[in-house]
Amino acid sequence: MKYFEEIQVGDTMMVGRHTFTADEIKAFARRFDPQLFHLDDAAAERSHFGALCASGWHTAVVWMRLMVDYRRAMAEAAHARGEPVAGIGPALGFRELKWLKPVYVGDTIEYQSEVTELRPSNSRPRSGLMSIRSTGVNQNGEPVISFVSTTFVERRPERP
Amino acid sequence: MKYFEEIQVGDTMMVGRHTFTADEIKAFARRFDPQLFHLDDAAAERSHFGALCASGWHTAVVWMRLMVDYRRAMAEAAHARGEPVAGIGPALGFRELKWLKPVYVGDTIEYQSEVTELRPSNSRPRSGLMSIRSTGVNQNGEPVISFVSTTFVERRPERP
């Protein structure tokens, strides 16, 4: 991750993509969102969704997983170039989370995040606060999820 | 669930409580949020959290699970009394999700939801839109998570 001073509003991150299988949709739902349209094909066909689809929370946490992997890959690449890596986190929360379309079995969701706001932190002067808008888009180009999250990002250390 | 017309702003739901174990914190993190302070006790002690703690997403999806169980229990109780049960869902999304305190191993979080807004739906005239603020509070009375969600709730059918 870059230092806070090196980030600009409008910077984008191609976070990654994921294809949702029936097995993992059902496994997530059994544990965290056991509504029939996430668990049972026949019941899902009769529901307002029309077919088995992923829990909205599942669509959100897959973004988290891909973002952790993305940051790790960026950090490893920076280390390999001999560059420093800024600390990131913790996250304060998110806002405006919208589930725009269902995610059906076999859908491939591509997640992208864009920096929307940068501001100083009063509580942690060695960090800044970065807000990003993250979106997931399916293979037909339709947005399925969108939200804004805010995270601490380390400032560049002052030279001694 | 009650019909939209029978719900009032200020109605509260005692959604349920959950104790977070080290095993389930690590299992969730391995799958969806593999940051070291959610996975490894020694690394968590050295982190800004000071000890192993749950992914914020984990704290959120446990609410979802408890809410599904709560609605199911309410529906079964209504059926047992011979009363009709209003349909609920889908959810449109969430806003103002805040992670206020870490959730550490052994913490018991009690989740409560309160109706904050009721308004007609333009897109689905047979439903209304209900917003609720949900909070999770630990065993010391400290809020750890808070968010607002909006869901469709079925209107009472007109008599023929």
Side-chain angles (χ1 to χ4, degrees):
Chain A
M1 201 65 209
K2 293 177 182 177
Y3 287 115
F4 182 72
E5 287 80 359
E6 296 159 355
I7 302 170
Q8 297 194 339
V9 169
D11 285 354
T12 57
M13 293 162 262
M14 299 302 297
V15 178
R17 66 175 70 189
H18 182 79
T19 301
F20 287 75
T21 68
D23 281 354
E24 62 177 339
I25 286 173
K26 292 176 186 177
F28 183 92
R30 268 193 297 276
R31 182 71 192 85
F32 295 116
D33 192 356
Q35 301 186 78
L36 275 176
F37 37 75
H38 302 317
L39 282 173
D40 183 271
D41 299 80
E45 282 178 29
R46 293 190 302 271
S47 76
H48 45 259
F49 294 118
L52 193 77
C53 59
S55 166
W57 293 97
H58 190 179
T59 319
V61 296
V62 164
W63 169 86
M64 183 73 230
R65 172 56 191 264
L66 293 171
M67 182 54 103
V68 172
D69 293 347
Y70 171 86
R71 283 185 199 152
R72 199 159 287 166
M74 291 294 111
E76 283 169 10
H79 278 306
R81 292 191 302 266
E83 295 172 5
V85 176
I88 184 161
L92 293 182
F94 61 79
R95 54 187 198 271
E96 299 164 41
L97 189 147
K98 291 174 190 159
W99 290 304
L100 302 161
K101 289 262 183 188
V103 173
Y104 294 108
V105 174
D107 279 358
T108 297
I109 308 304
E110 186 165 277
Y111 296 88
Q112 185 172 338
S113 298
E114 178 175 349
V115 177
T116 55
E117 190 185 356
L118 294 161
R119 59 192 166 88
S121 163
N122 294 323
S123 64
R124 299 186 185 213
R126 292 173 60 185
S127 295
L129 282 164
M130 174 179 72
S131 294
I132 59 176
R133 174 173 292 282
S134 299
T135 51
V137 174
N138 68 18
Q139 66 281 359
N140 303 317
E142 299 166 319
V144 299
I145 190 171
S146 166
F147 58 96
V148 176
S149 52
T150 302
T151 309
F152 287 104
V153 179
E154 189 187 356
R155 287 181 173 280
R156 192 190 295 121
E158 304 208 7
R159 304 199 176 206
Chain B
M1 202 64 210
K2 292 176 182 176
Y3 287 115
F4 182 71
E5 288 79 359
E6 296 158 356
I7 301 170
Q8 298 194 339
V9 169
D11 285 356
T12 57
M13 292 162 263
M14 299 302 297
V15 178
R17 66 175 71 189
H18 183 77
T19 301
F20 287 75
T21 68
D23 281 354
E24 62 177 340
I25 286 173
K26 292 177 186 177
F28 182 93
R30 268 193 298 276
R31 182 73 191 85
F32 295 115
D33 192 357
Q35 302 186 80
L36 275 178
F37 38 74
H38 302 318
L39 282 173
D40 183 273
D41 298 80
E45 282 177 31
R46 292 191 301 269
S47 75
H48 46 258
F49 293 118
L52 193 78
C53 60
S55 165
W57 294 96
H58 190 181
T59 319
V61 296
V62 164
W63 170 86
M64 184 72 230
R65 173 56 190 262
L66 292 172
M67 182 55 104
V68 172
D69 293 347
Y70 171 86
R71 284 184 198 153
R72 200 158 286 167
M74 291 294 111
E76 282 169 10
H79 277 306
R81 292 191 302 266
E83 295 172 5
V85 175
I88 184 161
L92 292 183
F94 288 74
R95 55 186 197 271
E96 300 164 40
L97 190 146
K98 291 175 190 159
W99 291 303
L100 302 161
K101 290 263 182 187
V103 173
Y104 294 108
V105 173
D107 279 359
T108 297
I109 308 304
E110 186 165 279
Y111 295 88
Q112 186 173 335
S113 298
E114 178 176 349
V115 177
T116 56
E117 191 185 356
L118 295 161
R119 58 192 168 88
S121 162
N122 294 322
S123 64
R124 298 186 186 213
R126 291 173 60 184
S127 295
L129 281 164
M130 174 179 73
S131 294
I132 59 176
R133 174 173 291 284
S134 299
T135 51
V137 175
N138 68 17
Q139 66 280 358
N140 304 318
E142 299 165 320
V144 298
I145 190 171
S146 167
F147 57 95
V148 176
S149 53
T150 302
T151 309
F152 287 104
V153 179
E154 189 186 355
R155 287 183 174 279
R156 191 191 295 124
E158 304 206 8
R159 304 200 176 205

